[in-house]
Amino acid sequence: MSPRRNRPRGGADKQAADPRDEREPVGNRYGLERTESWQGEEWNVRMIGGSAAKHYRCPGCDQEIPPGVPHLVAWPQYGGGVEDRRHWHKACWNARDRRSARLQRSRNAPRY
């Protein structure tokens, strides 16, 4: 069996075109911000890779996001500070219009 080749084959034309540019838009890459409109307000949204070291609670599903799990952070563009940032699962953020705002927490559930 021959070893795997990690470098692109071909001339300078093939090396100039990066295949990652065609696969995903710039706003979906980790660490880059994009702006989305939701409930008549503009929100900054940033994808976070698996580098988070804390536990977060997703406001969409009220489940914990453990350290090392990729997710996103959203906060209002105008008038929002650090305390207004919320960490969401990506699927929960995409389904935020289909979810109800009345989540039932158990009595002993932490409110962070």
Side-chain angles (χ1 to χ4, degrees), residues 6-37:
N6 288 330
R7 60 184 178 270
R9 295 182 186 181
D13 294 338
K14 289 187 179 182
Q15 290 176 354
D18 190 5
R20 288 178 293 189
D21 292 338
E22 297 171 4
R23 280 188 280 166
E24 57 184 351
V26 174
N28 285 339
R29 291 189 183 160
Y30 292 110
L32 297 178
E33 281 183 29
R34 66 182 186 269
T35 304
E36 292 187 21
S37 181

Side-chain angles (χ1 to χ4, degrees), residues 18-82:
D18 190 5
R20 288 178 293 189
D21 292 338
E22 297 171 4
R23 280 188 280 166
E24 57 184 351
V26 174
N28 285 339
R29 291 189 183 160
Y30 292 110
L32 297 178
E33 281 183 29
R34 66 182 186 269
T35 304
E36 292 187 21
S37 181
W38 181 46
Q39 294 181 343
E41 195 172 354
E42 295 296 317
W43 291 76
N44 291 328
V45 179
R46 180 183 298 158
M47 296 291 297
I48 304 295
S51 62
K54 291 174 49 179
H55 289 270
Y56 297 102
R57 183 153 306 269
C58 175
C61 65
D62 200 34
Q63 298 295 313
E64 194 173 87
I65 303 173
V69 173
H71 61 280
L72 58 87
V73 179
W75 66 96
Q77 186 174 15
Y78 303 108
V82 175

